[in-house]
Amino acid sequence: MWARGIEVMLGLWLVVSPFVFGHFAEPGLGRLVASDLAAGSLVVLLAVVSFWRRAGRAHLAELAVAGWLVAFGRFAFDFPPPPGAQNELLVGLVLVLFAIVPNRAADPPARWRAFYEERARRG
């Protein structure tokens, strides 16, 4: 579940980044601000919902959000893109890396767990 915690932090960074980069003061960056706020909120929501056992694979929907971030950061602005678009591109690529990590990635393999449970039961 450690990857979900990192995804929450990435989502919060996306929500805060328009304020850090000061996009509200620059004209023409309203789309970037809306994209950051929407994508960040969705990433946080999906990562938190993934902690619930029944929705344990909800984090895989973050791949679609990451695809949006990469595509929007790359193609929505002329070259060179503003720092916020570069931020979206980078966060989208990092989000892909963490979204494919399973929830139980830190647990030992199932056969190992079964072996040690059997061993503990025998005493």
Side-chain angles (χ1 to χ4, degrees):
M1 294 297 239
W2 59 271
R4 306 298 80 83
I6 294 173
E7 291 166 358
V8 168
M9 288 186 272
L10 287 171
L12 292 175
W13 167 249
L14 280 172
V15 169
V16 172
S17 65
F19 302 100
V20 173
F21 290 116
H23 293 317
F24 294 105
E26 297 181 39
L29 293 182
R31 298 177 301 158
L32 186 60
V33 172
S35 174
D36 281 344
L37 294 177
S41 300
L42 192 57
V43 167
V44 170
L45 177 70
L46 291 171
V48 169
V49 167
S50 291
F51 282 103
W52 186 35
R53 187 173 295 273
R54 288 188 176 187
R57 294 182 190 245
H59 63 94
L60 294 175
E62 293 173 2
L63 292 171
V65 178
W68 164 257
L69 289 170
V70 170
F72 187 78
R74 172 63 182 96
F75 298 114
F77 299 96
D78 294 332
F79 189 80
Q86 295 175 20
N87 179 56
E88 279 199 352
L89 181 64
L90 181 65
V91 170
L93 292 174
V94 172
L95 192 59
V96 168
L97 294 174
F98 287 107
I100 61 174
V101 175
N103 283 344
R104 300 188 67 169
D107 292 350
R111 288 187 182 193
W112 290 12
R113 287 192 309 263
F115 172 77
Y116 285 116
E117 288 170 4
E118 178 67 28
R119 188 173 170 189
R121 204 166 24 117
R122 287 185 189 170

